[in-house]
Amino acid sequence: MTLELTDKLWEQNPDALIAISPEGNILHWNPAAEAIFGYPQDEALGKSILDLVVPKDCIEEEKQIQTEALRRDLTVYESVRRRKDGTLVHVSVSTKAVRDAQGNLEYFLSNKKDVTHLKVLRDAKLVEARFHDLLESTPDAIVMVNVTGRIVLVNSQAEKMFGHQRAELLGQPVEFLLPVRFHTAHLAHRSGFFEQPRTRTMGAGLELYGLRKGGTEFPVEISLSPLKTEEGTMVMSAIRDITDRKKADQKFKDLLESAPDAMVIVDRNGEIVLVNSQAVQLFGWSREELLGQKIEILVPERFRSKHLGHRTGFFEQPRTRAMGAGLELYGLRKDSTEFPVEISLSPLETEEGLFVSSAIRDVTERKRIEQTLRDKNIELENAAMAKDRFFASMSHELRTPLNAIIGFTGTLLMQLPGPLNAEQNKQLLIIQKGARHLLSLINDMLDLAKLGANKLELKLETIDCNTVLEDVAASLQPDADRKGLHFTVDLPSRPVMLRTDRRALNQIIINLIGNALKFTEHGSVCLRLEERTTPEGKVLAFSVEDTGPGIAPQEQGRLFEAFSRVDAADRRKLEGTGLGLHLSRKLAEQLGGKITFQSEYGVGSTFTLELPQE
């Protein structure tokens, strides 16, 4: 076969000259073809031209061109061809069918001129005229690329972002704006986009970076959109610098890591998108194993169906809340062990949509302590009940002989069996006084036991408080007279009615007046009844005011404790059980009221019982 070419013309031609057999295989491949397409001659010879440099979507076009060359001997057209590195070049193609003397086809001679730069200039003028104003109005950097991956248009935001002038960017491959380590992968992404052009986010889930003129890198987010023009399909890239967002995201991640609880963030589909190291440690899964999984992987099987409903309900009404309040919640570790948890949910609004942040705390130790406390409380309650039963039983058994002693002593003191001498009378009075004191102690202990066992039965009735107080005052007047105290009663002029337990009210007033008379050596004691209005409502105030020694500040805190007596030299000689005020406060609480006091050491004290008026 003889080629109608001289070696010099073949070697020095600036355009790619390719001889192609009728079967489509490469017969000759000049140096310009090597330079344009990247294949050395030894790699190209014998290969199919369709397989080597023709993109898939141009194969039919190439076949049609060869058919046209057979029909007309020569055809001229523009198209794109693929280089060895996968990039595309725009070429102006002239294809001639070369025949032998008999008119049979010997080969096709194809001249391919690289017109990529010229095509870029044409494309740039076209898109500049049509889209300049629109692209300048967008807030993002816009870079428009033709099918060969060459930049044909940038807006001013792109110039500012990347630091290049428009003239520096036009005609450059778009990889010019990417770090070198991304070039190879980006070529594949770019080819894939032109094969299936549609609006999409580039490299979803990947870390993407742009490259500024000075060589600095910055994180970016890229959205791709196909754009059909008279010059063919182009791709418009909207590029956003997300440096500030990355910093905010990192701060958020640092905040999650500093949280004491396990943190798990879930999207609307229930998929885990972020976990902190505490969650990794708590559940035993690695971070990679958890990301993308449904949150139910951390929930025991028996709770998963209900949990799905809770999750859906949260996204319908997002608000900060404790999950499953009042329920027993459990987490599930990788090794299938369960553990009790406490969960707080918070909505998290982001640019990507609504997420839920879950703060999860392992409460195993707290549950153990609570159970221990419950067990101890049960033990204490049983012990208290046993003590109350003992007090009730023993008090009853002791009162019977004591009442007999008091009764017989009274009979002897009345000298019914016969006369007594002075010494006998004195000794019997000592016995009677001791027996009455012991009976008072037993009665107080019995009341205390009833209160502790919640067995004190109140008999509610409507009473005239004036009448009750007058009766109590009359019974205690002799005690005031024996000590030379001025005992007064200050009551309202009209009857004051109250629905309460007469016996309990009577006992409280007797205890308060009895204490005042006992500890006051000189001066007066006053019993007063008033109607008052408090923040809680209307109350009746029963006050007992004395001019006794008062109570030292250091003693006031334990005044109402059981068996507590104020530690003062002038009080130790006075008899008492230390139960009077304790019982009075307990009875007041049973009646829905309270006892308060005011005391000034060395001046006197005022104790007040407040009961609510219905």
Side-chain angles (χ1 to χ4, degrees):
M1 177 173 57
T2 303
L3 298 181
E4 299 173 352
L5 295 169
T6 66
D7 290 342
K8 185 175 181 180
L9 176 62
W10 183 265
E11 297 294 332
Q12 295 183 359
N13 196 307
D15 299 333
L17 289 177
I18 307 169
I20 306 167
S21 72
E23 294 76 26
N25 296 324
I26 298 172
L27 302 175
H28 290 279
W29 183 266
N30 76 337
E34 293 184 0
I36 293 174
F37 296 107
Y39 291 99
Q41 188 180 63
D42 58 347
E43 288 186 25
L45 294 179
K47 297 293 191 327
S48 167
I49 189 68
L50 298 180
D51 294 338
L52 197 68
V53 299
V54 180
K56 290 181 180 180
D57 57 348
C58 295
I59 289 177
E60 290 302 320
E61 176 191 66
E62 178 72 13
K63 291 179 179 179
Q64 183 64 32
I65 293 303
Q66 291 182 4
T67 300
E68 187 70 14
L70 283 174
R71 187 172 66 84
R72 301 174 53 188
D73 287 341
L74 177 66
T75 184
V76 179
Y77 59 95
E78 264 193 24
S79 188
V80 293
R81 291 295 179 263
R82 184 180 60 245
R83 291 170 46 85
K84 182 178 181 179
D85 61 7
T87 59
L88 300 179
V89 291
H90 269 283
V91 290
S92 175
V93 181
S94 299
T95 300
K96 177 179 177 57
V98 179
R99 303 176 185 274
D100 60 16
Q102 288 76 34
N104 297 318
L105 178 67
E106 277 195 87
Y107 57 88
F108 292 103
L109 180 61
S110 184
N111 182 94
K112 300 185 188 318
K113 181 180 181 64
D114 184 355
V115 294
T116 300
H117 184 67
L118 294 175
K119 184 68 166 62
V120 167
L121 294 179
R122 293 202 305 268
D123 290 346
K125 288 181 180 180
L126 175 67
V127 297
E128 177 80 16
R130 292 185 59 185
F131 303 111
H132 175 269
D133 293 341
L134 175 63
L135 299 185
E136 286 298 325
S137 67
T138 64
D140 294 327
I142 299 296
V143 176
M144 193 171 292
V145 177
N146 67 12
V147 70
T148 63
R150 302 283 174 164
I151 299 172
V152 297
L153 182 66
V154 295
N155 64 358
S156 56
Q157 289 87 333
E159 291 182 89
K160 182 178 178 181
M161 178 181 291
F162 290 97
H164 293 281
Q165 296 296 318
R166 193 179 309 246
E168 296 176 292
L169 293 175
L170 292 182
Q172 294 285 353
V174 72
E175 287 76 21
F176 181 71
L177 301 178
L178 302 178
V180 174
R181 65 184 182 278
F182 294 117
H183 284 191
T184 302
H186 188 266
L187 285 172
H189 287 307
R190 175 153 57 82
S191 299
F193 181 85
F194 277 104
E195 288 177 3
Q196 294 182 327
R198 58 183 172 82
T199 300
R200 69 180 79 170
T201 299
M202 178 178 171
L206 301 178
E207 294 284 331
L208 301 179
Y209 289 87
L211 183 68
R212 290 193 175 94
K213 185 174 182 178
T216 58
E217 298 181 11
F218 60 101
V220 294
E221 183 177 82
I222 304 176
S223 296
L224 305 178
S225 301
L227 191 66
K228 293 188 179 297
T229 71
E230 295 175 2
E231 299 298 317
T233 300
M234 298 188 186
V235 58
M236 184 173 70
S237 307
I239 306 168
R240 183 170 297 178
D241 182 349
I242 58 172
T243 301
D244 291 339
R245 188 200 301 174
K246 285 287 185 180
K247 290 180 179 178
D249 288 347
Q250 188 57 50
K251 287 182 180 179
F252 180 68
K253 290 178 181 179
D254 292 343
L255 181 62
L256 287 185
E257 287 300 322
S258 66
D261 297 326
M263 303 297 297
V264 179
I265 296 179
V266 177
D267 65 14
R268 188 177 289 275
N269 295 322
E271 293 181 0
I272 299 171
V273 297
L274 194 64
V275 295
N276 64 357
S277 55
Q278 290 85 333
V280 170
Q281 181 179 3
L282 179 61
F283 289 98
W285 299 88
S286 70
R287 200 180 304 264
E288 292 70 22
E289 289 174 315
L290 287 175
L291 296 181
Q293 294 289 339
K294 294 289 187 181
I295 184 63
E296 282 76 21
I297 192 176
L298 305 179
V299 178
E301 182 72 33
R302 64 185 184 280
F303 296 123
R304 289 180 183 175
S305 59
K306 290 185 178 179
H307 186 271
L308 180 59
H310 289 309
R311 170 158 59 81
T312 303
F314 181 87
F315 278 101
E316 290 175 353
Q317 295 182 325
R319 58 182 174 82
T320 299
R321 68 184 78 172
M323 179 179 173
L327 301 178
E328 290 287 329
L329 300 179
Y330 289 87
L332 181 67
R333 292 190 177 93
K334 183 179 181 179
D335 61 7
S336 298
T337 57
E338 297 183 12
F339 58 101
V341 294
E342 185 178 79
I343 303 176
S344 295
L345 305 179
S346 300
L348 193 63
E349 292 282 357
T350 71
E351 292 183 0
E352 289 77 25
L354 178 65
F355 295 83
V356 56
S357 173
S358 308
I360 306 170
R361 180 171 298 177
D362 182 353
V363 293
T364 302
E365 183 62 18
R366 191 177 76 191
K367 290 286 185 180
R368 186 190 65 79
I369 293 174
E370 289 175 352
Q371 186 59 49
T372 301
L373 290 175
R374 282 195 291 269
D375 294 341
K376 289 296 182 183
N377 284 336
I378 292 174
E379 291 180 15
L380 291 173
E381 289 174 3
N382 291 336
M385 291 176 62
K387 176 203 70 175
D388 294 338
R389 287 194 296 269
F390 171 77
F391 279 154
S393 175
M394 291 305 296
S395 297
H396 178 74
E397 294 299 325
L398 290 172
R399 280 198 304 178
T400 300
L402 273 177
N403 282 324
I405 292 172
I406 293 170
F408 284 121
T409 303
T411 301
L412 291 174
L413 286 172
M414 293 172 64
Q415 300 187 20
L416 295 178
L420 300 171
N421 58 39
E423 185 62 27
Q424 289 172 331
N425 192 75
K426 177 183 177 182
Q427 296 299 327
L428 284 173
L429 285 173
I430 293 173
I431 293 172
Q432 187 183 56
K433 182 178 180 181
R436 284 177 174 171
H437 175 64
L438 184 56
L439 181 59
S440 176
L441 174 60
I442 292 171
N443 285 334
D444 285 346
M445 292 178 66
L446 181 59
D447 287 339
L448 182 63
K450 286 182 178 179
L451 284 169
N454 292 321
K455 292 183 178 180
L456 184 67
E457 296 182 1
L458 296 179
K459 182 181 179 181
L460 299 180
E461 57 181 314
T462 301
I463 62 173
D464 181 356
C465 295
N466 287 356
T467 301
V468 173
L469 298 186
E470 287 170 351
D471 291 344
V472 172
S475 66
L476 295 177
Q477 185 65 51
D479 293 337
D481 294 340
R482 278 194 296 271
K483 297 187 70 173
L485 299 175
H486 183 55
F487 182 30
T488 59
V489 180
D490 183 6
L491 303 176
S493 58
R494 58 180 179 80
V496 179
M497 311 306 292
L498 178 67
R499 181 170 177 78
T500 189
D501 184 282
R502 179 189 295 270
R503 177 184 172 279
L505 175 61
N506 197 69
Q507 185 173 349
I508 295 171
I509 301 301
I510 289 175
N511 284 341
L512 296 181
I513 298 176
N515 278 349
L517 295 175
K518 183 190 301 182
F519 296 114
T520 302
E521 297 298 330
H522 307 285
S524 63
V525 173
C526 178
L527 170 62
R528 182 177 291 108
L529 175 60
E530 297 176 303
E531 293 181 282
R532 298 178 182 175
T533 300
T534 69
E536 291 78 23
K538 292 183 178 181
V539 299
L540 286 181
F542 303 81
S543 300
V544 178
E545 181 181 349
D546 66 57
T547 58
I551 304 166
Q554 66 270 21
E555 300 287 348
Q556 294 180 8
R558 59 189 186 90
L559 192 61
F560 289 92
E561 294 178 3
F563 305 105
S564 174
R565 299 190 65 195
V566 175
D567 189 14
D570 58 346
R571 293 174 182 250
R572 293 193 198 105
K573 62 184 180 181
L574 300 174
E575 296 177 346
T577 63
L579 288 174
L581 286 177
H582 177 71
L583 283 171
S584 296
R585 170 169 280 186
K586 290 289 186 182
L587 288 170
E589 291 172 353
Q590 291 288 313
L591 297 176
K594 62 181 179 179
I595 295 178
T596 59
F597 74 94
Q598 294 178 332
S599 183
E600 185 176 350
Y601 192 57
V603 176
S605 304
T606 300
F607 284 79
T608 302
L609 165 67
E610 290 185 352
L611 294 177
Q613 284 185 296
E614 294 183 353

